[in-house]
Amino acid sequence: MVSRLRRIIPICGVAFAAFFNLSAAELVLAERGQPADYRIVVPANPVPVFGYAAEELRDWTEKLTGVRLAIETNTTPAKAVYLGGTEEGLGTDGFRVKAEGGNVRVLGSPDRGV
C-alpha cells in the first residue's frame, strides 16, 4: 500500500500543479467524451524515469477522464505535455510544471523529479 501511495502522490502533485497553477488561462489536458488533443512527449533516448512518468501520466489521465493520451518521442505536436528537461535548485525529487503557449513542460531531475 505504501509503495502505491508513493507512486500516486507525485502524480497527484503534477495534476494539481498543472490545473491550479495556470491561472492566466484555462488549460484542459483531457475531457471525458472528447478526443485527445494533447500528446505526452519525451526526449529521444529518454532515461527510464521519463518513460515511467509518461506511462503514469497517460494511465492516470485515462483513469480520471477516460481519455488516453498518446506518448510520442521527440516530436512537436500542436498541444503537448513535454516531460524532461532540468532546472536548477529542484533537488532529486523536485519538479516544476510550466505552461508555455498552451503546452505544459514538466521539468525535474532525471533521477526522480519528473
Side-chain angles (χ1 to χ4, degrees):
M1 179 68 174
V2 173
S3 65
R4 182 173 167 88
L5 284 176
R6 285 185 184 158
R7 283 191 315 185
I8 293 172
I9 290 171
I11 293 165
C12 291
V14 170
F16 284 123
F19 292 114
F20 295 111
N21 201 20
L22 304 173
S23 60
E26 185 177 276
L27 191 140
V28 178
L29 297 181
E31 188 172 348
R32 187 169 298 283
Q34 301 298 316
D37 289 334
Y38 277 83
R39 306 284 186 261
I40 300 169
V41 179
V42 294
N45 303 315
V47 294
V49 170
F50 293 168
Y52 177 75
E55 291 169 359
E56 288 287 290
L57 179 59
R58 177 200 60 205
D59 294 347
W60 280 100
T61 300
E62 185 174 21
K63 287 177 185 178
L64 293 170
T65 67
V67 177
R68 186 174 180 88
L69 303 178
I71 298 174
E72 300 177 355
T73 303
N74 207 32
T75 62
T76 54
K79 293 182 177 183
V81 177
Y82 294 98
L83 299 180
T86 59
E87 189 165 309
E88 295 295 318
L90 297 178
T92 301
D93 292 330
F95 65 91
R96 183 165 315 237
V97 178
K98 292 183 176 185
E100 297 177 343
N103 293 314
V104 177
R105 288 199 181 277
V106 181
L107 308 168
S109 77
D111 299 322
R112 294 188 348 203
V114 171

